[in-house]
Amino acid sequence: MDKVEDNEVLQKGKQKALKIVFGRTMVIVVLFLIQFALVASAVKYFTQYIPVFFGGYVLFGLIIVLIIINKEGNPEVKLSWSIITMLLPVVGGLLYLFVEMQPGYRLLQRKLNNIYKRTEDYVQQDEAVLQALAEADRNTAGLASYVHKHGNFPVYQNTKVKYFPLGEDKFEAMLTELEKAKKFIFMEYFILREGYMWGKILEILERKAAEGVEVRVMYDGTCALFDLPYEYPEELMRKGIKCKMYAPIQPVLSTHYNNRDHRKILVIDGKVGFTGGINISDEYINRVEKHGHWKDTAVMLEGDAVQGLTMMFLQMWNVSEKVVEYGKYLEMEIKDQQATGFVMPYGDSPFDEELIGEMVYMDILNRAKKYVHIITPYLIIDQRMMTALCFAAKRGIDVKIILPHVPDKRFAFALAKNHYKELLMAGVKIYEYTPGFVHAKVFTSDDEKAVVGTINLDYRSLYLHFECAAFLYQVDEIENIEKDFQETLEKCQEVTMENRKNGTALLRLEGWLLKVLAPLM
């Protein structure tokens, strides 16, 4: 009997090994390596002529550095590229030109711009709402005008907000609301991983699709590398669910793969919408343990502002497909929600010139009167954000940041710690969540402003990914968001100038060295 069981285990092991060796992910890796090898061979071949053409070699690097310096953009990004190019003029210079001249990036940028133009009529700002906001606070109305002008995201009233302090709470509400769907369900998530959470959701989606509800599911293409089969969209389509990946990874070198769909959106019938940090995977609801207790948050919107989330989903869906009669999903009859305050769902795109996610955060910091309280999993920030955080603290604002004590990425943790000293010296208070990992992305300020969404305080979220969030002003639920911050704070340990160096010397060295490359990571 033992031999039979041993043979079965051995056979399963062989099958798993063969799947890894011959699977699509391995094929992509091998093809990428071949392309890198060809590039490296070309560089090596031409390198032999460097002594002969040393002057040209240096001149080429200098020209590229001058191009970098004079190009519009973030100074830290330009500094990183300049250092790489000065150290390795040919390799760094050619790599920079490759990144800047990518046709895939330009093509996607044109597609998105065309989509935004086609949908302008559906994102007009209700002037009565903006006027009401201006009467409440002209500065916040100015922020809303900026976001609408440069991102086409209006601010709304008549929207009820429910905050979820844990993934388990959001999951329970998701299941309840999905059961109520009558017309359509839209899901857009960065991570979709098979397990208990997805299984319970999929069970409802299949049933709703069979009842005639239109179900669309979109997830980021990186899921096909490790989490889901490449053909998984076809599997869902056989169940009556329309499904696609955003930017699936192909065995072709391209920089637009660096721009991922990091959003988390669920819309039901255009009347209820969810966003926040929670992906579709069991660790987000603490069904399995990964990096200790997983702290994450979300909000549910009911009412007019759901239109903003619906539009974001449709715009992303249409990147690779011409759908849709937009009005069918956006011109919904919404009942009176008896809700106070203003809600502005907004997104951020790496393919425009506006850093909307960062600007909203900085506006909160710059206009705060009493406090700004922040929860973020990562702290890899540019000098602009560093200045805003420090200046707020220096002018007497209570600035507190909660970060993980148990990291999910070692290098990100090392880079975050690299910022501690400057922030602490300015008066910013830093805390680490000792039960485990915080994945929430939350700002609260002065008992009247809050942001809950997907936007981390790092370069990837602020510069490279598609993101989304909900900005709340004078909404009753802000009280519960701040209450959750205070309760989370009780589970944290404060970082001080004395204990900030806790950890290995290697971790500190990693942070010190990686800071040069942080803007490109």
Side-chain angles (χ1 to χ4, degrees), residues 60-72 78 82 96-97 100:
F60 174 76
L62 179 61
I63 291 171
I64 296 298
V65 169
L66 289 172
I67 291 171
I68 293 168
I69 290 172
N70 285 282
K71 189 177 185 298
E72 294 180 3
K78 293 194 284 187
S82 297
Y96 176 78
L97 292 175
E100 287 297 309

Side-chain angles (χ1 to χ4, degrees), residues 12 14 42 79 91 216 235 244 295 339 346 368 388 422 461:
K12 287 180 180 178
K14 287 180 179 178
L79 178 61
V91 175
R216 295 177 187 261
E235 183 179 327
K244 65 168 67 175
K295 165 70 177 175
Y346 63 96
E422 186 173 352
S461 272

Side-chain angles (χ1 to χ4, degrees), residues 103-119 188 216-221 243-248 256-257 259-263 310-324 326 348-352 465-467:
Y105 179 96
R106 307 291 177 198
L107 178 62
L108 189 52
Q109 187 178 45
R110 282 198 298 273
K111 280 185 177 180
L112 285 165
N113 287 337
N114 290 334
I115 289 169
Y116 297 152
K117 287 178 183 176
R118 289 202 305 270
T119 55
E188 178 183 350
R216 295 177 187 261
V217 174
M218 179 165 54
Y219 57 88
D220 189 74
C243 181
K244 65 168 67 175
M245 291 183 281
Y246 171 76
H256 88 270
Y257 294 136
N259 307 118
R260 306 315 312 175
D261 182 4
H262 193 243
R263 294 173 177 172
T310 308
M311 176 58 82
M312 277 186 257
F313 175 89
L314 291 172
Q315 288 171 338
M316 287 299 289
W317 185 276
N318 285 348
V319 166
S320 59
E321 177 182 336
K322 287 184 181 178
V323 187
V324 187
Y326 288 95
D348 204 352
S349 166
F351 292 91
D352 59 29
H465 288 337
F466 290 95
E467 303 284 356

